Amino acid sequence: RGMMTGSGPVVRNEGHARIVPIASLNPYSGRWSIKARCTTKGDRKRFNNARGDGQLFSFDLLDQQGSDIRVTGFGDVVDKFFDLIEVGNVYIVSRASLLPKKPQFNHTSHQFEIRLDKDSTIEAANDEEATRIPQIIYNFKKIEDLERMDVNQMVDIIGVVEQVNESQLFTRKDGGETRKRSIVLRDMSNKSIDLTLWGNFADNPGDGLEEACRNGVHPILAAKCVRLGDFGGRSLSTVSSSQVRLEMQHPEAIKLQNWYQQGGASMAPQAITTKGMGKNNKLTTLGAVKAEELWKTGKPEWISVVATIKNLPVEGGASRKSIVYEACPNVLSENNRQCQKKLTELEQGSGVWSCARCGTLDAPLDYRYMASMEISDHTAAQWVTAFGESAEAVFGMSARDFRQNEEYNQDFANTLQDERNFTTWTFRLKVYEDTYQDVARMKAQVQALSPVDFAKEGWCTLDLISKLEAGVPVLQARSLPAGPAAPHPMAMAAQPGGLVMQQPAGMTMQNPYGGPPPMAAAGGFNNQGGNQMMG
């Protein structure tokens, strides 16, 4: 396009401006372009406010000089660019504006963020210069340094994966569900810290990490941009912009692996995540939970126990009193989740159902479990409640199938009850305080359960014994009121004269998963077989 002036036509430059480093960007830069690699990309998020429905997405860019910045788009811009952006690719971004970032949501190093609009352009860059832009840049902190840092800072960490807990389902405040998994990292400072993997990180790399540790392999994990919290002293958790990956070739990873294989594995680390271990899904006993009053902390605690179903009340048939209830199938607009509230039949036998939240039902009704059961281990018994997937695991079928079977066969529920009573499971429980008739009591809800892996549980028990023998605490009791108290349920075996366990001469311990035996602290198992811990 041309513009006529007194001195002749002037041609407007429609190409992108000169490429500048991210670090030089400021609101007074005028026209600019940047060439950078996408390191993280957020999901497409939908929202509703006073101006109506909307959507947004964001991604982070890293340039050749090592500077990074957040890019955000709203509305129609999301439809224009969301599918174009892929993590790992290099792009040239032009014709966008800069706005001050909100540090609570934006953890990049730049003080501004890029805001895309309808005139913005994003082009893929595949030239030789693009190959020189790094995939990621770390600024690792030692675990021992985290004790002296202020909370809510974003840090980079690298460590040996010492322990991996199972993934569990977590209900957010908005009613949505996500997954979380807690792992324990240790480094050459001989300190350890808990890192919680949220969302997709719980499955990838979480599933692979769990399998590796189960087989006696302890990989090196690097995490960039994770949040430092004060839960249990000091702990870490991932956020949407975090990057978590196995790093075996990084120089720090090689140093760490050599240290671990050459003696670090046999040293007992000092944990800087010390309290509230139930939240991290530690294996414990029902008696220990009650003795320590974990449910009185003022917030829910998450634990794992191996327990047997002692009593599973099931009523069905003509009485219509069932562990399955009619649930609202409507999807809520605010979070795209199923309502699931219990329905009320407007008139018995009418087939017309109503939801207290959604009103009269239009869609076919759904079914959902709400089962109470008494479980027990060798230390105590406890009534727990199971919903959804956890109850399906117990009964081996969906709630809809259960309802259809009990309507067809009046003896079905009682027969199933006999089959499920006195079966043993690994339970993941959420325990919390509840008040009934002004009396505080412990409530427990099943978050997930799985059949007991006896080889794994036996291996864990051997590891606990080795730690007790070496003087490493396996359960740290909370302070209780003064006065006589019963022995701690997990400490009874260690009381009479101290715990002594010796390995017979010439006997080599074998890991049932094919890996090395548990690496105890000084004074732990004496492995005569010469096995080595793999990093």
Side-chain angles (χ1 to χ4, degrees):
R1 291 179 305 188
M3 295 178 57
M4 298 300 297
T5 67
S7 57
V10 176
V11 178
R12 187 188 300 274
N13 181 9
E14 295 294 343
H16 60 70
R18 181 174 59 90
I19 293 174
V20 299
I22 287 177
S24 69
L25 291 179
N26 64 75
Y28 309 104
S29 297
R31 294 186 64 215
W32 50 261
S33 295
I34 58 170
K35 179 185 291 186
R37 187 182 305 277
C38 175
T39 57
T40 61
K41 175 186 175 183
D43 296 330
R44 184 195 301 251
K45 297 180 180 179
R46 304 185 187 278
F47 60 88
N48 180 275
N49 56 28
R51 291 179 290 181
D53 296 332
Q55 60 178 346
L56 68 91
F57 92 112
S58 61
F59 56 97
D60 294 346
L61 293 176
L62 173 71
D63 69 6
Q64 188 173 349
Q65 290 74 30
S67 298
D68 59 347
I69 194 169
R70 172 74 50 84
V71 183
T72 303
F74 289 84
D76 294 339
V77 171
V78 179
D79 298 325
K80 182 179 179 181
F81 292 120
F82 184 81
D83 293 333
L84 171 67
I85 303 300
E86 295 183 9
V87 174
N89 288 352
V90 177
Y91 300 95
I92 298 175
V93 179
S94 305
R95 299 182 183 176
S97 57
L98 292 171
L99 295 175
K101 75 175 184 181
K102 296 181 179 180
Q104 66 269 35
F105 304 115
N106 185 341
H107 310 298
T108 59
S109 60
H110 207 285
Q111 61 179 320
F112 293 95
E113 70 174 41
I114 296 174
R115 180 68 56 86
L116 301 174
D117 58 37
K118 61 183 180 63
D119 296 322
S120 299
T121 63
I122 300 180
E123 304 172 14
N126 301 310
D127 55 10
E128 182 179 350
E129 183 181 1
T131 63
R132 295 196 292 268
I133 298 177
Q135 296 284 341
I136 190 171
I137 294 179
Y138 295 107
N139 181 23
F140 292 127
K141 299 290 184 183
K142 293 182 179 179
I143 294 178
E144 65 179 358
D145 294 335
L146 302 182
E147 293 182 282
R148 298 183 290 272
M149 294 178 61
D150 294 332
V151 298
N152 292 324
Q153 293 191 59
M154 309 308 295
V155 299
D156 300 348
I157 193 78
I158 188 170
V160 180
V161 180
E162 182 80 356
Q163 176 182 325
V164 180
N165 292 317
E166 295 180 354
S167 173
Q168 62 177 308
L169 200 61
F170 181 84
T171 302
R172 299 191 297 261
K173 292 181 180 180
D174 63 0
E177 293 180 339
T178 187
R179 290 211 164 265
K180 58 175 289 190
R181 185 194 296 269
S182 176
I183 67 174
V184 178
L185 297 177
R186 62 181 299 190
D187 66 7
M188 294 172 62
S189 66
N190 206 31
K191 298 289 184 73
S192 69
I193 190 170
D194 285 22
L195 167 64
T196 301
L197 304 175
W198 288 95
N200 293 333
F201 292 130
D203 300 325
N204 183 21
D207 289 343
L209 294 175
E210 182 180 20
E211 183 66 21
C213 287
R214 181 179 296 177
N215 291 324
V217 178
H218 294 263
I220 309 298
L221 185 81
K224 182 172 181 63
C225 192
V226 291
R227 187 188 302 277
L228 177 63
D230 57 0
F231 178 81
R234 285 292 186 270
S235 59
L236 298 169
S237 59
T238 61
V239 297
S240 60
S241 57
S242 298
Q243 298 180 64
V244 181
R245 59 179 69 186
L246 298 180
E247 288 285 2
M248 304 305 295
Q249 302 304 320
H250 192 281
E252 287 297 321
I254 295 173
K255 288 169 53 179
L256 195 54
Q257 186 177 26
N258 291 338
W259 166 81
Y260 192 74
Q261 292 179 335
Q262 296 171 10
S266 63
M267 302 168 61
Q270 180 181 353
I272 68 172
T273 309
T274 55
K275 299 179 181 178
M277 298 303 286
K279 184 70 175 285
N280 293 320
N281 206 29
K282 291 289 185 181
L283 183 66
T284 183
T285 65
L286 294 173
V289 175
K290 294 183 177 182
E292 296 181 14
E293 297 184 328
L294 287 177
W295 51 281
K296 285 189 175 182
T297 60
K299 55 184 178 182
E301 296 286 340
W302 280 260
I303 62 167
S304 285
V305 296
V306 176
T308 299
I309 298 176
K310 179 181 178 182
N311 185 12
L312 179 60
V314 178
E315 299 180 15
S319 69
R320 302 293 295 172
K321 294 179 179 178
S322 174
I323 59 173
V324 172
Y325 70 88
E326 291 80 4
C328 178
N330 290 341
V331 177
L332 304 177
S333 59
E334 57 266 28
N335 56 20
N336 286 329
R337 298 290 178 178
Q338 185 179 339
C339 173
Q340 296 185 343
K341 277 190 171 293
K342 189 173 183 178
L343 297 174
T344 303
E345 195 170 17
L346 295 182
E347 185 176 339
Q348 188 172 0
S350 66
V352 180
W353 299 85
S354 176
C355 171
R357 174 190 285 167
C358 304
T360 304
L361 199 65
D362 296 326
L365 56 84
D366 196 7
Y367 295 95
R368 183 169 168 81
Y369 281 112
M370 184 172 61
S372 294
M373 64 190 79
E374 186 181 16
I375 64 174
S376 66
D377 60 12
H378 64 288
T379 63
Q382 175 66 37
W383 281 92
V384 301
T385 305
F387 298 90
E389 292 180 358
S390 57
E392 286 184 9
V394 173
F395 296 107
M397 66 186 69
S398 68
R400 182 179 295 276
D401 289 342
F402 186 99
R403 170 54 60 85
Q404 290 176 349
N405 277 285
E406 70 171 352
E407 289 181 344
Y408 176 76
N409 181 0
Q410 292 189 359
D411 295 329
F412 167 77
N414 292 329
T415 301
L416 194 61
Q417 176 189 34
D418 294 338
E419 293 176 354
R420 296 301 186 264
N421 274 334
F422 306 109
T423 56
T424 303
W425 307 78
T426 299
F427 290 86
R428 291 203 299 272
L429 302 175
K430 180 175 76 171
V431 296
Y432 56 95
E433 183 175 358
D434 181 56
T435 302
Y436 179 71
Q437 293 183 348
D438 297 328
V439 177
R441 60 179 182 172
M442 173 177 139
K443 293 279 287 185
Q445 182 175 320
V446 181
Q447 299 296 294
L449 78 165
S450 58
V452 178
D453 185 335
F454 289 101
K456 178 182 177 182
E457 293 304 325
W459 199 240
C460 289
T461 302
L462 288 175
D463 186 51
L464 290 174
I465 292 172
S466 71
K467 289 178 179 178
L468 284 171
E469 184 187 27
V472 179
V474 296
L475 256 181
Q476 298 188 3
R478 299 191 310 113
S479 300
L480 299 177
H488 195 286
M490 284 292 283
M492 291 180 181
Q495 287 182 354
L499 181 66
V500 177
M501 183 170 181
Q502 295 180 345
Q503 180 180 346
M507 174 182 175
T508 301
M509 296 184 59
Q510 297 294 328
N511 186 330
Y513 296 105
M519 304 301 292
F525 290 124
N526 178 21
N527 175 24
Q528 303 294 334
N531 289 325
Q532 293 183 350
M533 179 68 75
M534 297 177 63

